[in-house]
Amino acid sequence: MLKINDYEPIVGPQVLEELRLLAGQLSKKRVLHVNSTAVGGGVAEILSRMVPLLNELGVETRWDVIKGGEDFYAVTKKIHNALHGHKQTFEAKDYDVFLEVQEKNLKEMSLDEDIVFIHDPQPVGLVKRKHSLQNKWLWRCHVDVSTPDTNVWHFLRTFVEQYDKSVFSAPIFSQVLSIPQALICPSIDPLSEKNREMPQEEIDVILARLSIPTDKPLVTQVSRFDRLKDPLGVIKAFEQAQKYVEARLLLVGGTADDDPEGAQVLAEVKEAAGKNPDIIILLLPPTSHIEINAIQRASTVILQKSLREGFGLTITEALWKGKPVIAGAVGGIPLQITHKYSGILTHSIEGTSYWLKQLLQEPAFGKKLGENGREHVRQNFLLTRHLREYLLLFLSLYHKGDVVNL
Ligand code: UDP
């Protein structure tokens, strides 16, 4: 079990001292996080590391998951896509399904912690309980809602504006709201199984176990099979680059409990990959952290050709491993990548293919991008910075009117 002191060699002693001081101010508060899946996707990834560390720091913290059936997740996936600005068709019964699940969970969940921290739209309606409990409620939006479908956003906003505060990943993601907003970027845990240092022998063993050949440079995208991650665009870009360079494309994905579209997108990806012997599609269970760590480290170039994105933790993970990343210039990706300095930003299949060819042909340039990317992550996107900002946010709930410098 990792301890907070284990982070000292990476971030230095002052950072940890400050975390202890801030947590000390919250030692009598209990915190509850609620999201919609225990495994799969970026939110679960962060909570799985954040919750034990908050407890170790003395802030009693619990994590619970809202429960819904397939019909609920079909609606929340449509809401997710609509918030990202993708046109969706909603029927009145979709909203009924959403509201019924909120009511059912309200009956079953205990939400009486001092601070209830709700993540994303799926459990947003639980805020109804605030009025009887009079505790503090935070809504954390991990989605880019800068250009949402207006009807869906209006529906959600009636819930959001009942919270004490909202949290967005970046100014560009947020919306005008009647409640205060805090801007806090996500993070990765440098010591988790997914990101810890890994000796080459261990990487080799894992790749051999997964039957991934390493005779050609590996170009990898790790993503849920989701249209907004554009796996079909990745295949097209790779096949264009393949005319000039030798490489293997690895599309690594899994499913998340709250993502019902995955199987269909996977079938489309398999069809598009056809019989190309240099494209490997690898389905991994959502707990395959060591495997993803090894795959990212074994890759020569990492792709994340998203058409829309929240923050894009897969990019943070790859940059931390010093890898050159080519990614779509959407959502939180430009916060992580400065074009041609800490990675490559692209806007099209052609652009992705061009840069893929360049990076495979110029490994020294790729290495430099990776080094700059790793340093940018060290300064900005590690879990310790995220913890500090959450602790300050919790404190700000009890200091009305004070300026809290996040
Ligand atoms: N991930 C994983 N297995 C997969 C696909 C993704 O463990 O098959 C992880 C990935 O390493 C990252 C997270 O899920 O930690 C995805 O977060 P991101 O912000 O990139 O995208 P999201 O899925 O939240 O849209």
Side-chain angles (χ1 to χ4, degrees):
M1 188 66 179
L2 284 169
K3 295 279 173 210
I4 196 81
N5 279 345
D6 298 332
Y7 294 81
E8 192 174 318
I10 300 172
V11 296
Q14 288 89 345
V15 170
L16 303 187
E17 195 42 42
E18 194 185 0
L19 289 180
R20 288 194 193 92
L21 279 171
L22 291 171
Q25 310 271 319
L26 288 157
S27 59
K28 294 198 174 57
K29 303 292 181 206
R30 290 175 309 132
V31 178
L32 169 67
H33 287 275
V34 182
N35 76 325
S36 62
T37 175
V39 282
V43 181
E45 181 81 19
I46 293 172
L47 287 178
S48 69
R49 302 299 313 139
M50 183 71 88
V51 171
L53 288 175
L54 280 168
N55 278 305
E56 193 202 330
L57 285 165
V59 184
E60 196 183 322
T61 306
R62 204 163 63 80
W63 171 15
D64 207 347
V65 172
I66 190 173
K67 287 168 198 71
E70 261 175 45
D71 51 350
F72 175 66
Y73 292 119
V75 173
T76 58
K77 182 72 192 188
K78 276 207 274 185
I79 292 179
H80 178 87
N81 289 341
L83 288 179
H84 271 300
H86 258 221
K87 195 84 206 122
Q88 306 285 312
T89 314
F90 284 89
E91 291 160 30
K93 86 166 175 12
D94 292 338
Y95 292 108
D96 293 343
V97 167
F98 185 86
L99 295 172
E100 273 160 27
V101 169
Q102 308 295 313
E103 288 300 326
K104 190 163 181 292
N105 280 270
L106 276 165
K107 287 201 188 90
E108 290 165 5
M109 290 175 84
S110 128
L111 299 161
D112 65 355
E113 273 79 356
D114 300 292
I115 300 171
V116 182
F117 203 152
I118 302 287
H119 294 261
D120 281 338
Q122 299 92 334
V124 70
L126 298 180
V127 71
K128 191 173 172 189
R129 182 72 65 74
K130 176 181 178 216
H131 308 288
S132 56
L133 290 173
Q134 294 295 314
N135 46 359
K136 305 284 185 192
W137 286 66
L138 293 164
W139 186 61
R140 189 353 168 174
C141 182
H142 294 268
V143 183
D144 174 359
V145 290
S146 52
T147 52
D149 173 293
T150 334
N151 290 338
V152 171
W153 176 243
H154 283 171
F155 171 73
L156 289 178
R157 201 174 59 188
T158 56
F159 299 106
V160 171
E161 293 194 329
Q162 297 174 44
Y163 283 74
D164 291 287
K165 278 191 181 182
S166 57
V167 185
F168 292 87
S169 294
I172 43 159
F173 283 22
S174 59
Q175 277 286 334
V176 176
L177 286 171
S178 62
I179 58 167
Q181 304 185 20
L183 302 173
I184 301 180
C185 280
S187 63
I188 57 159
D189 181 351
L191 299 180
S192 67
E193 287 296 295
K194 185 165 281 166
N195 297 307
R196 66 166 167 85
E197 295 299 319
M198 191 175 259
Q200 188 60 47
E201 306 82 74
E202 192 180 353
I203 298 174
D204 294 342
V205 169
I206 294 172
L207 265 78
R209 175 160 54 76
L210 295 172
S211 309
I212 301 172
T214 48
D215 53 330
K216 295 181 187 177
L218 282 175
V219 175
T220 303
Q221 174 157 305
V222 177
S223 273
R224 290 178 293 105
F225 287 100
D226 180 323
R227 290 203 178 82
L228 297 181
K229 310 280 183 185
D230 200 17
L232 299 180
V234 168
I235 291 176
K236 285 192 189 128
F238 174 76
E239 288 189 330
Q240 283 180 18
Q242 236 189 342
K243 293 179 193 146
Y244 308 94
V245 281
E246 279 277 306
R248 252 199 193 97
L249 175 65
L250 189 52
L251 285 165
V252 183
T255 52
D257 293 347
D258 59 349
D259 183 356
E261 270 178 0
Q264 196 190 333
V265 176
L266 175 62
E268 290 166 21
V269 168
K270 282 187 174 156
E271 196 187 328
K275 296 199 170 28
N276 189 329
D278 287 326
I279 301 181
I280 302 172
I281 298 163
L282 187 62
L283 262 186
L284 289 178
T287 46
S288 312
H289 304 304
I290 305 181
E291 289 76 5
I292 292 194
N293 190 344
I295 288 169
Q296 286 170 331
R297 288 182 191 278
S299 300
T300 303
V301 177
I302 299 283
L303 299 180
Q304 189 57 58
K305 209 203 145 311
S306 302
L307 302 171
R308 296 277 198 288
E309 191 53 83
F311 184 70
L313 281 177
T314 50
I315 293 157
T316 334
E317 291 159 6
L319 294 177
W320 180 244
K321 295 173 182 100
K323 295 295 163 181
V325 178
I326 304 174
V330 292
I333 296 176
L335 296 173
Q336 304 195 58
I337 292 181
T338 302
H339 186 52
K340 295 204 270 185
Y341 177 76
S342 52
I344 298 293
L345 294 174
T346 56
H347 301 85
S348 62
I349 290 170
E350 289 68 30
T352 307
S353 157
Y354 169 81
W355 281 107
L356 179 56
K357 186 165 64 88
Q358 293 298 108
L359 289 184
L360 288 170
Q361 287 172 342
E362 292 178 51
F365 178 49
K367 188 162 176 279
K368 191 71 205 148
L369 295 178
E371 282 167 10
N372 292 341
R374 179 173 165 96
E375 196 45 39
H376 185 56
V377 173
R378 186 199 307 280
Q379 301 288 342
N380 298 288
F381 305 127
L382 296 186
L383 184 64
T384 38
R385 187 271 314 153
H386 201 175
L387 265 172
R388 174 182 176 272
E389 291 183 344
Y390 273 2
L391 292 171
L392 282 168
L393 175 70
F394 297 163
L395 282 171
S396 78
L397 292 168
Y398 299 96
H399 296 269
K400 249 203 163 81
D402 289 0
V403 175
V404 176
N405 183 11
L406 295 178

